Amino acid sequence: MALDRELARHIVASVDAGFAEQIEFTKSLIRFPSTRGNEHTIQDFVFGALRDRGYAMDRFAMEPDAIGRHVGGAPFSDQHSTAPIVVGIHRPRRETGRSLILQAHVDVVPTGPSDMWRTPPFDPVIEGDWLFGRGSGDMKAGHAANIFALDALRRAGLQPAATVYVQSVVEEESTGNGALMTHLRGYKADAVLIPEPEDEKLVRANVGVLWFDVEVRGVPAHVREMSDGTNAIDAAYRVVAALRAIEADWNAQKTGRPHFENEPHPINLNLGKIQGGDWASSVPSWCRISCRISIYPGITAAEAAREIAECVADFARSDRFLANNPPRVTFGGFYSEGYVLQPGSEAEAVLDRAHETVIGKPLESFMTAGYLDTRVYALYDQVPALCYGPIARSIHAADESVSLPSVERITKTMALFIAEWCGLESAESR
Amino acid sequence: MALDRELARHIVASVDAGFAEQIEFTKSLIRFPSTRGNEHTIQDFVFGALRDRGYAMDRFAMEPDAIGRHVGGAPFSDQHSTAPIVVGIHRPRRETGRSLILQAHVDVVPTGPSDMWRTPPFDPVIEGDWLFGRGSGDMKAGHAANIFALDALRRAGLQPAATVYVQSVVEEESTGNGALMTHLRGYKADAVLIPEPEDEKLVRANVGVLWFDVEVRGVPAHVREMSDGTNAIDAAYRVVAALRAIEADWNAQKTGRPHFENEPHPINLNLGKIQGGDWASSVPSWCRISCRISIYPGITAAEAAREIAECVADFARSDRFLANNPPRVTFGGFYSEGYVLQPGSEAEAVLDRAHETVIGKPLESFMTAGYLDTRVYALYDQVPALCYGPIARSIHAADESVSLPSVERITKTMALFIAEWCGLESAESR
């Protein structure tokens, strides 16, 4: 049942009233250089921000054993973050509505060469409608929106009439173990909303993602005897070429898959990082490549991993050098399944109404070909997991930025969504 | 005029008498992990060893300006060694013979992954006839042979009747600036002998060598939008493929070149090192490759560098991505010409006689397709520059080793060579 129009206007106006403060909060989040493993201080900042608002606080560490036993757990490498997960909990006086998880991650991907940025990546700068900075779109604007959508209700003298968990996680850009850890700790709600930068659209389906490293070792030699040694860099590159066959095969399998068959290239294999050799005048004896590939919903990470390992092993057997020096394939990051958001849920209907009230047109949905934490809630809690957030540019790239008018719009949508989904009661005085 | 047989036997026996000590000295040299930039302590050790023997000592630094002005100078990068060059000087009572430079370098190439070694690379181990360790062959065995060939004469109550410079240099594996610096400081002699591991043969010709880096920058992107970004690693690899055309062209030019036309593949382009990207799930925005290529004697480094830079620029113009993101080519190491040892010199004839006396067969000569410091003396002093040394295995590779019987043989050859080339006088008592 749609919100009362007057009430909706009141809530929307309250988002506007808090928006300057919301921008400042977002900028504060961007100033933390919270790349993988470096999220301790931002999580402490978020803990303080939620505690100051009166939420009951929970802060906890990853449990590698529990994660390792779960089908959705990703392997731990020595790069895995040890930063805590932070949850602020709103409990209403009377639990009359539907509970909700609002989730966001604080980890950001590396900046790349800082001289490719027009402004320093962790120094938030506003130019026109756009807020620049690493993580501005992915997803510090959404993180702030979670908190400020609830703030807006409070400013309007209201609060959700159901439990709301505000989750601040890590490891979203590398394993998804942060979101999984909230699940393993027992958090569950009737719906989940994660405001990732999705161009004001709802994610209907996504892909699973696997990370893997391929390491080639070769017999090195002085370059004057190049034929004696075999170049490990060249050999690793041949393995990538072999893996392109899997990518092509998997893309061909899009036929008959509803959310994928109209995409020109739904499955991407990315050669993201390479390191090999020590010296220009030595034939390199080692090369390590870090790859990322995606898989369709319904295919498990284990199935895909097996196919990748077999592809590399098959190719190696056919390669004169690699047959004697089999490459080592290791899975040290994402190891996740994709999900489909089943249409027709009440949660989606409520978001659709809120979106249409604010934006003036129906909510569009689409497939996004990247990892999303919503998979944890969709696959393992089997609840509506809504990924919906602002317009952003150059995500994972230099000069990442987020549209501030869009952030304001989606914060309004979120506030209206919370109001209708959870119901409202008068705010407690704090 | 050949040495008196009895005298030769006496000198050879003296090498044998000192050989156990020579092995220990060689092992001491191997224990210094004297990779580029890390040669300070080994040079101090060598300084002490030469001073203790009573040589007049000279120790001096690189002069980047003077090196930069010289046609044989290589560019200085921030990896350039700052270790000193050490020279021990023998002056006879009466300068009646021909002067000689005995040169060796103390720098060694990186070990590569240490787990590819059967024994730790800087922990010298003897197994049967072989002494293992990084630098054992290239060229700490030769370095010790310079010193112990002179020691053998002394043990026999003799010393050279001409000035002998024992030079211990750095940067042989990266620029050749160490050898050039001895030239710039004014060192010159009637002949030069460098006991690099050349399988008991004499180097007749070698190649010039150039090091260059190619750096590609690309517009990165989230991997879900792979077509927006362009993979800098893939782009760098395309540049290497383009450079293979130069390699093929230069190999085709071997026709008519006396020391090269019978070699199957005299010119080698080595992709020695690669680094690119930061993150498996980001399309990499940068990639840097370090290459080494060789050139025929008579071709200047500047001519070759121009051709390389033009090849990269031409290819970039034809490449949709690189046309807008031109790769940067920089020359930061070897920038050297090759040399030919003209047959017929008296120095070669003396070495040939010494070799035949010890080994029992005539001295063979051959082309070696790598950089050698002898180029400095051959090209800029225009004196006979003899590169001749022991049998070694796995140079620049794991499990590098040198044949100890071969080291003993070439030390004998060297002692006889010095005796005949420089002439002899009775040793001074010290």
Side-chain angles (χ1 to χ4, degrees):
Chain A
M1 191 179 69
L3 285 180
D4 173 79
R5 276 201 187 181
E6 190 51 44
L7 176 58
R9 266 198 294 273
H10 187 48
I11 292 170
V12 162
S14 182
V15 170
D16 282 329
F19 196 63
E21 189 191 341
Q22 183 176 343
I23 293 174
E24 286 311 306
F25 187 88
T26 307
K27 289 168 76 176
S28 297
L29 294 178
I30 293 170
R31 284 191 193 97
F32 288 94
S34 53
T35 50
R36 191 182 194 191
N38 303 310
E39 316 93 339
H40 285 273
T41 52
I42 193 172
Q43 286 291 67
D44 288 348
F45 175 83
V46 168
F47 183 89
L50 293 171
R51 189 190 47 193
D52 290 350
R53 282 163 169 79
Y55 295 109
M57 296 306 302
D58 189 15
R59 180 158 54 177
F60 48 96
M62 300 277 178
E63 291 174 20
D65 288 350
I67 289 169
R69 280 191 300 270
H70 193 280
V71 64
F76 276 64
S77 73
D78 53 8
Q79 276 92 50
H80 201 285
S81 179
T82 59
I85 296 160
V86 169
V87 181
I89 305 167
H90 162 78
R91 294 193 181 90
R93 284 190 303 283
R94 290 185 58 218
E95 191 85 42
T96 58
R98 292 165 289 202
S99 62
L100 178 65
I101 289 170
L102 297 172
Q103 197 251 43
H105 65 87
V106 294
D107 54 313
V108 297
V109 300
T111 61
S114 57
D115 63 1
M116 292 183 72
W117 288 70
R118 289 172 46 244
T119 56
F122 296 114
D123 184 6
V125 170
I126 296 174
E127 286 182 17
D129 283 347
W130 298 88
L131 172 59
F132 288 81
R134 167 58 80 235
S136 56
D138 188 8
M139 63 170 296
K140 289 174 173 178
H143 194 293
N146 281 344
I147 297 172
F148 279 79
L150 291 168
D151 284 0
L153 297 179
R154 176 101 35 102
R155 189 179 297 104
L158 301 164
Q159 65 180 20
T163 295
V164 177
Y165 301 114
V166 183
Q167 299 181 338
S168 179
V169 305
V170 297
E171 284 283 328
E172 194 274 345
E173 298 289 4
S174 41
T175 60
N177 283 343
L180 184 66
M181 190 61 223
T182 67
H183 166 79
L184 291 169
R185 193 159 170 98
Y187 283 101
K188 187 172 176 179
D190 297 323
V192 178
L193 176 63
I194 302 184
E196 289 270 13
E198 300 293 359
D199 288 335
E200 305 183 358
K201 294 176 192 161
L202 178 66
V203 175
R204 177 63 63 205
N206 86 333
V207 289
V209 172
L210 281 87
W211 276 11
F212 58 96
D213 285 0
V214 179
E215 188 168 6
V216 171
R217 294 291 188 97
V219 178
H222 189 291
V223 68
R224 76 183 187 193
E225 292 142 1
M226 248 173 69
S227 55
D228 287 359
T230 295
N231 191 314
I233 298 172
D234 287 335
Y237 217 82
R238 290 199 298 277
V239 174
V240 176
L243 287 166
R244 294 280 173 217
I246 283 197
E247 185 190 26
D249 182 36
W250 291 1
N251 274 300
Q253 291 174 26
K254 69 181 180 180
T255 313
R257 295 184 188 269
H259 308 293
F260 295 87
E261 63 185 344
N262 295 325
E263 298 286 330
H265 197 267
I267 300 296
N268 285 318
L269 167 68
N270 186 51
L271 167 50
K273 188 173 174 179
I274 189 165
Q275 290 189 295
D278 304 293
W279 198 244
S281 285
S282 300
V283 182
S285 61
W286 64 277
C287 186
R288 197 166 38 242
I289 54 177
S290 299
C291 297
R292 171 269 192 205
I293 199 166
S294 46
I295 55 177
Y296 298 111
I299 295 170
T300 67
E303 287 165 345
R306 202 175 312 120
E307 195 166 340
I308 291 162
E310 278 169 13
C311 167
V312 174
D314 286 349
F315 174 72
R317 274 190 292 274
S318 75
D319 185 274
R320 209 172 62 138
F321 167 69
L322 293 170
N324 294 313
N325 300 275
R328 208 159 67 97
V329 180
T330 50
F331 295 84
F334 282 124
Y335 201 79
S336 76
E337 256 185 84
Y339 76 92
V340 173
L341 173 71
Q342 294 306 333
S345 73
E346 181 57 18
E348 181 176 336
V350 172
L351 184 65
D352 191 1
R353 279 196 287 277
H355 175 87
E356 191 152 0
T357 300
V358 173
I359 315 279
K361 53 185 184 183
L363 180 60
E364 284 178 60
S365 67
F366 75 124
M367 187 281 291
T368 186
Y371 172 86
L372 292 170
D373 266 351
T374 26
R375 60 107 198 186
V376 168
Y377 312 92
L379 294 171
Y380 310 124
D381 288 335
Q382 296 277 324
V383 298
L386 310 171
C387 191
Y388 165 89
I391 297 166
R393 297 186 303 201
S394 300
I395 295 166
H396 289 212
D399 296 328
E400 176 179 353
S401 59
V402 68
S403 160
L404 290 173
S406 175
V407 173
E408 194 165 11
R409 286 191 295 271
I410 65 97
T411 308
K412 290 172 180 173
T413 304
M414 289 166 67
L416 297 182
F417 169 78
I418 298 164
E420 184 177 343
W421 179 257
C422 299
L424 293 169
E425 58 182 25
S426 64
E428 290 168 24
S429 59
R430 295 251 157 86
Chain B
M1 191 182 67
L3 283 182
D4 172 78
R5 275 201 189 181
E6 191 51 43
L7 176 60
R9 266 198 293 274
H10 188 48
I11 292 170
V12 162
S14 182
V15 170
D16 282 328
F19 196 62
E21 189 191 342
Q22 183 176 344
I23 293 174
E24 286 312 305
F25 187 88
T26 307
K27 289 167 75 176
S28 296
L29 293 179
I30 293 170
R31 283 191 193 98
F32 289 94
S34 53
T35 50
R36 189 182 195 190
N38 303 309
E39 316 94 338
H40 285 273
T41 53
I42 193 172
Q43 287 290 68
D44 288 348
F45 174 84
V46 169
F47 183 90
L50 293 171
R51 189 190 47 192
D52 290 350
R53 282 164 170 79
Y55 296 109
M57 296 307 302
D58 188 16
R59 180 158 53 178
F60 47 96
M62 300 278 179
E63 292 174 21
D65 287 350
I67 289 170
R69 280 191 300 270
H70 193 280
V71 65
F76 275 64
S77 73
D78 52 8
Q79 276 92 50
H80 200 286
S81 178
T82 59
I85 295 161
V86 169
V87 181
I89 304 166
H90 162 78
R91 295 193 180 89
R93 282 192 303 285
R94 290 186 58 219
E95 192 85 42
T96 58
R98 291 165 290 202
S99 63
L100 177 65
I101 289 170
L102 296 172
Q103 198 251 42
H105 65 87
V106 294
D107 53 313
V108 298
V109 300
T111 61
S114 56
D115 63 0
M116 292 182 72
W117 288 70
R118 289 171 47 243
T119 56
F122 296 114
D123 184 5
V125 170
I126 295 174
E127 287 183 16
D129 283 347
W130 298 88
L131 170 59
F132 288 82
R134 166 59 80 236
S136 56
D138 187 7
M139 64 167 295
K140 289 174 174 180
H143 194 293
N146 281 344
I147 296 172
F148 280 79
L150 291 168
D151 284 0
L153 297 179
R154 176 102 32 104
R155 190 179 298 105
L158 300 164
Q159 65 180 21
T163 295
V164 177
Y165 300 115
V166 183
Q167 299 181 338
S168 180
V169 305
V170 297
E171 284 283 329
E172 194 274 346
E173 298 289 5
S174 41
T175 60
N177 284 342
L180 183 65
M181 191 60 224
T182 66
H183 166 79
L184 292 170
R185 194 160 171 97
Y187 284 100
K188 187 172 176 179
D190 297 323
V192 179
L193 175 63
I194 303 184
E196 288 272 11
E198 301 293 358
D199 287 336
E200 304 183 359
K201 294 177 192 158
L202 177 66
V203 175
R204 176 64 62 206
N206 86 333
V207 289
V209 172
L210 280 86
W211 276 12
F212 58 96
D213 284 359
V214 179
E215 188 169 4
V216 171
R217 294 291 189 95
V219 178
H222 190 291
V223 67
R224 77 182 186 192
E225 292 142 2
M226 249 172 67
S227 55
D228 289 359
T230 294
N231 192 314
I233 298 172
D234 287 335
Y237 217 81
R238 290 199 299 277
V239 174
V240 176
L243 287 165
R244 292 281 173 218
I246 283 196
E247 185 189 26
D249 181 36
W250 292 0
N251 275 300
Q253 292 174 25
K254 70 182 181 181
T255 313
R257 293 183 188 269
H259 309 293
F260 296 87
E261 64 186 343
N262 295 325
E263 298 287 329
H265 198 266
I267 300 296
N268 285 318
L269 167 67
N270 186 50
L271 167 51
K273 187 173 176 181
I274 189 167
Q275 290 188 296
D278 305 293
W279 198 246
S281 286
S282 301
V283 181
S285 61
W286 64 277
C287 187
R288 194 166 42 241
I289 55 178
S290 298
C291 297
R292 171 268 191 206
I293 200 165
S294 46
I295 55 177
Y296 298 111
I299 294 170
T300 66
E303 286 166 347
R306 200 176 313 118
E307 195 167 338
I308 290 162
E310 276 169 14
C311 167
V312 173
D314 285 351
F315 174 72
R317 273 190 292 276
S318 74
D319 186 274
R320 207 173 63 137
F321 167 68
L322 294 170
N324 294 313
N325 300 275
R328 208 160 68 97
V329 180
T330 50
F331 295 85
F334 282 124
Y335 200 79
S336 76
E337 256 184 85
Y339 76 91
V340 173
L341 173 70
Q342 295 306 333
S345 72
E346 180 59 17
E348 182 176 336
V350 172
L351 184 65
D352 191 1
R353 279 196 287 276
H355 175 88
E356 193 152 358
T357 301
V358 173
I359 315 280
K361 52 184 185 183
L363 179 60
E364 284 179 60
S365 67
F366 74 125
M367 186 282 290
T368 186
Y371 171 85
L372 292 171
D373 266 352
T374 25
R375 60 110 197 183
V376 168
Y377 312 93
L379 294 172
Y380 310 124
D381 288 335
Q382 296 277 325
V383 298
L386 310 171
C387 191
Y388 165 88
I391 296 167
R393 297 186 304 201
S394 301
I395 295 166
H396 288 214
D399 296 329
E400 176 179 355
S401 60
V402 68
S403 161
L404 290 173
S406 175
V407 172
E408 195 165 11
R409 286 191 296 271
I410 65 98
T411 308
K412 290 172 179 172
T413 304
M414 289 167 67
L416 296 182
F417 169 79
I418 297 165
E420 184 177 345
W421 179 257
C422 299
L424 293 170
E425 60 184 24
S426 63
E428 290 168 25
S429 59
R430 293 251 158 84

